[in-house]
Amino acid sequence: MTLPSAGVPPRTPAAVLAAAADAGATVVLSGHVQPDADALGSTLALAEGLRRRGARVTATFPGRPELPASLGWLPGAEGLTPAAAVDPAPDVFVSLDVASPARLGELAVLLERAGTSVVVDHHASNPGFGDVRLIDGAAPATVVLVAGLLDELGVPLDAPLATLLYGGLAADTGSFRFGSTRPDTHLLAARLLGTGIDHAAISRRLFDTAPFGWLRLLSAVAGRAVLEPEVGQGLVWTWSSTAEAAEHGLPGEQLEALVDVVRATAEADVACVLKGQDDGSWSVSLRSRGATDVARVATALGGGGHRAAAGFTSHLDREATVAAIRATLRATVGATTRDTVGAEGTPATLAR
């Protein structure tokens, strides 16, 4: 099935997706590696909407095909296809909640192999990849953009779709606590609640349910946290690893929740958690209480994200990675807004 090439006049994502659905085209949709509720909710909701419109849809995500228990219950998750089994050259490839091509892992090749690539994202650090883009750095979550696309596609929101969208919205706004929450965020939430979803049950499954081993892991990780108030506007950091998570009977994905505990430290504007991976690299999560733009810090170190939440991958050892973060935070505080990122002496890119 051939859709108009990327060289023809500007097209909107909604127009491309509507044409694909009308033509019964093959569409592959994916969020980022180690998907969270926003990436997965966006992928599954748009996939279902396109399926209802007549497209031949495959939903997937890069990396290991297993999902954490906190996400595996989402409607449609049972139908996800392993990345290795997707069409290598679909008519349309849709990237959702992915800040850079590297975050697509082995699926990044589809950006070039697909007839048309569509990027839907809310990361302010997104460089603008893909043939057709819907990127809004002010949107509190990618599911907000997907809700708009579903409206444009004429797909009515029902409880299953609303569950997916609400999960991503609640997750990326910190249950509506983060500064990215806007008046229309609550209007969308009200609309989703109007479908009859049990928002309390959704939040409980996403945020308030964990194995007992989580308490043991949290105790160990919190116990070795380091506070460095003199770094930038204050830094608190700690570390763990997939191996340590396994010792407590937990999947590596459980480490993602650690930073939301560490960020509560009143004496530090920036919270950092280093998560050791099976390949020896460190996946680093950064959070800001407001005074520091951690997206600038992460971008300088090869990653990206939002002002209040960002991350990167380091192939240095733990101490060298923390030293790079310290140096970048000091440069960020000491530099002007214009030259904060990429200032001379800022550590080189740590991620590929």
Side-chain angles (χ1 to χ4, degrees), residues 39-73:
L40 193 59
S42 296
T43 299
L44 292 173
L46 188 55
E48 178 59 22
L50 290 171
R51 189 176 292 114
R52 294 179 187 181
R53 278 290 310 268
R56 291 178 288 159
V57 174
T58 301
T60 187
F61 61 92
R64 294 188 307 160
E66 296 87 8
L67 288 173
S70 61
L71 297 177
W73 62 273

Side-chain angles (χ1 to χ4, degrees), residues 127-228:
F129 61 97
D131 298 327
V132 184
R133 297 177 288 274
L134 174 56
I135 300 172
D136 182 357
T142 297
V143 291
V144 173
L145 307 179
V146 170
L149 287 174
L150 291 172
D151 286 342
E152 291 187 73
L153 291 168
V155 178
L157 298 184
D158 56 14
L161 288 174
T163 295
L164 295 166
L165 298 175
Y166 187 88
L169 190 63
D172 264 32
T173 61
S175 295
F176 309 98
R177 293 179 292 115
F178 297 163
S180 59
T181 301
R182 309 179 300 195
D184 57 353
T185 309
H186 288 290
L187 291 176
L188 175 57
R191 181 184 172 196
L192 299 176
L193 292 177
T195 65
I197 60 174
D198 186 343
H199 66 284
I202 293 170
S203 294
R204 184 167 57 250
R205 297 183 80 167
L206 287 176
F207 314 123
D208 298 330
T209 303
F212 180 71
W214 164 246
L215 295 180
R216 300 290 192 186
L217 176 67
L218 181 60
S219 175
V221 174
R224 56 175 172 256
V226 178
L227 177 65
E228 301 184 30

